[in-house]
Amino acid sequence: MGKPVSLSKHRKAKNRVKKRAQANENAVKFGRTLADKQLDKARAEKLARDLNGHKRDGDTQSDKT
């Protein structure tokens, strides 16, 4: 016979590993520095400005109907 195993300890250890993996994913996903956030915001604003700069005058959806 093998050694008795505490199923609750095994279950808790398994949950601990699962939560740690989720925490690591969240750290990568959301754990950005302020400089990274500002850089992304500046890039998005520049992209929007460039896109708006390429629009033609009078080219709206309401004019096409």
Side-chain angles (χ1 to χ4, degrees):
M1 290 276 310
K3 185 176 164 184
V5 178
S6 173
L7 296 179
S8 63
K9 286 184 180 181
H10 177 70
R11 178 178 38 87
K12 288 179 182 181
K14 183 178 172 184
N15 285 339
R16 214 175 291 122
V17 169
K18 185 177 177 182
K19 285 184 179 184
R20 181 159 313 232
Q22 181 66 40
N24 289 338
E25 286 179 25
N26 286 342
V28 169
K29 194 174 189 181
F30 298 109
R32 299 185 311 151
T33 64
L34 181 61
D36 288 340
K37 291 176 187 178
Q38 289 175 341
L39 180 62
D40 286 346
K41 183 179 176 183
R43 284 181 178 163
E45 289 172 354
K46 182 181 182 326
L47 182 64
R49 280 194 316 267
D50 291 347
L51 183 62
N52 287 335
H54 290 290
K55 287 186 178 179
R56 294 184 294 189
D57 292 334
D59 191 20
T60 61
Q61 291 292 335
S62 62
D63 291 344
K64 292 181 181 180
T65 58

